Each structure stands twice: as structure tokens, then as C-alpha cells.
Amino acid sequence: MYTQGLDQRSDTAPTGDDAERLAAFRQRIDAEEKIEPKDWMPVEYRRTLIRQISQHAHSEIVGMLPEGNWITRAPTLKRKAILIAKVQDEAGHGLYLYGAAETLGVSRDELVEQLLNGRAKYSSIFNYPTLTWADIGAIGWLVDGAAIMNQLPLCRCSYGPYARAMVRICKEESFHQRQGFEIMLTLCRGSPEQKRMAQGALDRWWWPALMMFGPNDTDSKHTAQSMAWKIKRFTNDELRQKFVDVTVPQADFLGIKVPDPDLRWNAESGHYVFGSIDWNEFHEVLKGNGPCNRERLQARRSAHENGAWVREAAAAYAEKHPARRAAA
Ligand code: BYC
């Protein structure tokens, strides 16, 4: 895997030249310099980035499915056009991210294969169903809201191609969050039935949204090293707390209730205190036992099979027009 022309030296027990390279690498990280694809990097740094960026790319692609489910049933033509554009944006995010991962020496085919054969992870959140139109509002508001909270610091990630991809992605995610909140606001200002629908969506999506940030810091196996390498800038719990602090007042503004009996404002700390997450549910979803895991993977596999003719046609065209392929 990802060995072509790339330095495979490890970050552990370096000697001679390696120790020097590692010291120089650490200095660059400390100085907030970006690491670029052709620069030397410890093998574990490369591996961590491939893991995180590819999981992120898969999440964007699988993330198109729950919302895609409502394109044919959006309540108005305008809502439909907005939703189509949003789902298309997610496809674009997936492509930038696969592109960023490829700069680390792994092929897109290999990453897609890992997704399709079930070996690769993608965000737990996309294994939940979208039962009503309000779920599309809740996804924009909460899921994209959580994504922005997690991803804004990634714009300062030490790896250049990932950081630059995130700048564009975050701009689009901000628009997605606003459109989701606007759907929720419209429903909450509508009929009692519409408001109930909005409350139902908040009830369903609140806890899965909190799970998006990953395990508690005490159980997160990668956070410490990723922070040291400035891939991650905040821990999972820090980001989750920021999200709760920003989102609870928004729920108050909408006039709907966060489904957490333990939620309260702590004036001393200046933060909300919230109840404990059902980590058992989280791990079950990661193991493939969430409400929609099988359906999501099946949908991706079918899409891949149905797209075979496009790949074949593109390959045949490239074969026939090598000059155009080189120019592209
Ligand atoms: N779901 O040590 P930890 C989007 C895994 S897309 C599934 O804390 P790390 C959007 C984790 O990968 C949202 N798996 O790991 C798209 C690790 O597994 P492995 C996706 C999870 O990497 C469309 C293990 O648990 N965003 O926004 O330091 C429409 C231990 O965790 C989850 C990104 O991918 C989870 N929720 O931190 C709308 C952002 N949480 O690899 C929106 C980039 C943890 O050891 N990724 N795991 O087998 C990250 O920031 C980090 O990778 C995470 C996890 C915070 C997710």
C-alpha cells in the first residue's frame, strides 16, 4: 500500500539521518509550517492522515444518501433545488478529500474498495434514517453544525493539502448549516404539527450529532498524537462542548427542547453541562449494527456497479485521446 516513491521510515526509535529528519520535521510543525506531499514525514504521520482523510471522504460520500432520500419529496421546487445543490456539494467535498488523500501516495481506487468491502469507517451519523422533512432541517442544522465545529480547526491542519481542502469545504458547510436552521425555523413558526415534526427531528438527531465528535478524550486512542502533530487542534470533548454551547441557545430560539434531562447551564464554568452519551449505541453503529449501515453500504455498492460503464467509457476515451488525457 502507499509505498510508491515514498519514505517509509518510522517515527519510533530513529537513528542517524532519521533522527535528523525527524527533528527537522518536528521543528517545522512547531513553527506552524505546512507539510507538503513531497516533504519527508514520519510513516505514522502519513498513515494517520490517510486514515482520517479517507474516513472523512467516505463520510461525505455516504452522507449524500440520507439527504438524497428527500430530493424527490422536498416540499417545494425551491427546497428541491437547494437540496440538490447541497447533496452535490457533499460529492464535491468527497472528491477534494480523496484528492488530498491521493497526495499521500494511496490510490482512490484502493480507498473506494475499502469503503465498499466494509473495511473503512465513515461517520456514524450517516447510519440513521431520515424519516420526515424536518430531518433534512436537523441534518443541516446539527450535522453540518457539528461538522463545521470539527472542521474549522482542520483548516489549520499541519498537512497542506488537507488544510486547503478544508477551507473551501467549511465555506460550503456554513451555507448548509444556515439552510438547515432556516428549514427548522420555518417549521417551528408553522403549524403545531410542523413544530412537532421539528421537535421529533431534534429528538432523533441530537445524541447521534454529539457522537460525531468521537469517543470521550479518555477513550480516544489517536487524539494525543494527532494534537502533537497539529493534525487535530482540539480534543473530541473540547469540540463537543463548543458545539453544545453554541447549539442549545439555537434550540431555545427555535422554541424546541434538547432531549437531555441533565442539560443545564453552569454559570461558574460558562458552559452547559450535559448528560452522558450512550457509547454502547455508538460502538454498535461502528460495528455495522446501526439502523441503516447495511442499506448505506448496499446503496454505495449498487452505485459503483451501475457506474462501471462510465469508468469504462472514460478509460476507452482516454486510451483513444492520450494527448487530451495528458493536458487534463
Ligand atoms: N463515526 O481516537 P479517535 C460531514 C473512530 S462528514 C465513525 O477519537 P480520531 C458531513 C475513529 O475513526 C463528518 N467512526 O479518532 C458530510 C477511530 O477509528 P480507527 C466526518 C468514528 O481520528 C455530509 C476510532 O473511532 N468528519 O461532516 O482522532 C453532510 C477512535 O476515535 C467516529 C470527519 O471525518 C464517528 N463519529 O478522531 C453533512 C472529520 N468518531 O481509525 C456533513 C475529520 C471516532 O482507529 N475527522 N471514530 O479505526 C476527525 O476529526 C476525526 O477523525 C474524528 C475522530 C474526530 C472523527
Side-chain angles (χ1 to χ4, degrees):
M1 195 182 146
Y2 61 91
T3 49
Q4 253 186 342
L6 298 169
D7 197 317
Q8 286 296 291
R9 271 164 259 224
S10 154
D11 196 8
T12 50
T15 52
D17 281 357
D18 274 356
E20 259 174 50
R21 289 192 205 220
L22 190 55
F25 174 82
R26 285 192 177 139
Q27 245 172 20
R28 295 185 64 194
I29 297 275
D30 291 345
E32 299 285 333
E33 272 182 46
K34 293 283 179 242
I35 307 299
E36 296 299 336
K38 290 187 177 159
D39 296 344
W40 184 87
M41 62 187 81
V43 69
E44 278 304 324
Y45 177 82
R46 185 187 302 280
R47 194 171 285 146
T48 297
L49 282 166
I50 291 176
R51 179 183 64 78
Q52 177 165 330
I53 300 172
S54 61
Q55 286 175 1
H56 193 166
H58 299 325
S59 304
E60 300 283 354
I61 298 300
V62 179
M64 296 163 74
L65 297 170
E67 290 178 293
N69 183 34
W70 277 86
I71 289 176
T72 53
R73 290 177 286 159
T76 66
L77 182 60
K78 192 173 147 199
R79 295 286 185 200
K80 189 195 289 277
I82 294 170
L83 185 58
I84 290 172
K86 178 182 191 295
V87 172
Q88 252 173 356
D89 285 350
E90 312 299 358
H93 299 173
L95 298 188
Y96 313 149
L97 289 165
Y98 284 128
E102 281 179 306
T103 65
L104 291 153
V106 63
S107 76
R108 188 180 308 191
D109 285 348
E110 194 175 341
L111 297 177
V112 170
E113 176 55 27
Q114 287 171 7
L115 173 67
L116 299 181
N117 69 23
R119 274 194 296 133
K121 285 198 171 76
Y122 58 85
S123 183
S124 49
I125 193 79
F126 300 117
N127 293 304
Y128 291 86
T130 40
L131 303 179
T132 71
W133 171 251
D135 288 12
I136 300 306
I139 289 183
W141 173 38
L142 300 174
V143 176
D144 287 276
I148 294 167
M149 201 52 89
N150 167 275
Q151 292 172 13
L152 270 179
L154 292 174
C155 299
R156 293 189 294 120
C157 166
S158 57
Y159 186 59
Y162 191 27
R164 290 189 288 274
M166 290 317 302
V167 172
R168 181 156 173 192
I169 291 175
C170 284
K171 286 192 175 142
E172 293 176 353
E173 299 288 25
S174 306
F175 157 74
H176 295 171
Q177 195 272 350
R178 296 295 291 264
Q179 70 84 39
F181 187 78
E182 199 267 336
I183 291 176
M184 294 299 278
L185 193 57
T186 304
L187 291 172
C188 289
R189 288 180 175 168
S191 66
E193 196 185 342
Q194 285 174 315
K195 191 160 182 186
R196 269 199 301 279
M197 215 196 278
Q199 178 66 60
L202 174 58
D203 291 346
R204 278 194 298 283
W205 291 91
W206 176 254
W207 292 107
L210 295 194
M211 292 175 198
M212 283 177 73
F213 295 94
N216 284 139
D217 292 350
T218 43
D219 298 321
S220 166
K221 54 184 169 174
H222 301 298
T223 294
Q225 182 60 78
S226 291
M227 301 266 291
W229 278 328
K230 298 188 181 171
I231 293 172
K232 285 168 83 160
R233 297 286 179 154
F234 295 96
T235 69
N236 299 353
D237 284 337
E238 284 168 348
L239 291 172
R240 191 169 10 246
Q241 183 69 55
K242 276 175 192 270
F243 174 75
V244 172
D245 290 346
V246 165
T247 311
V248 172
Q250 294 172 352
D252 291 342
F253 183 83
L254 291 172
I256 50 182
K257 200 170 171 313
V258 170
D260 178 356
D262 297 323
L263 185 73
R264 64 186 166 80
W265 174 248
N266 181 338
E268 229 169 86
S269 68
H271 295 291
Y272 282 93
V273 176
F274 54 97
S276 40
I277 291 170
D278 182 351
W279 291 114
N280 191 37
E281 175 179 323
F282 173 75
H283 290 298
E284 280 304 310
V285 173
L286 260 59
K287 276 196 266 170
N289 301 326
C292 298
N293 291 61
R294 285 170 195 80
E295 187 184 327
R296 299 291 182 241
L297 268 190
Q298 195 43 51
R300 286 312 314 155
R301 286 186 191 125
S302 304
H304 193 72
E305 281 161 24
N306 293 337
W309 69 271
V310 180
R311 291 189 296 280
E312 281 161 23
Y317 183 83
E319 186 86 6
K320 228 175 160 186
H321 304 282
R324 287 190 205 176
R325 181 175 45 177

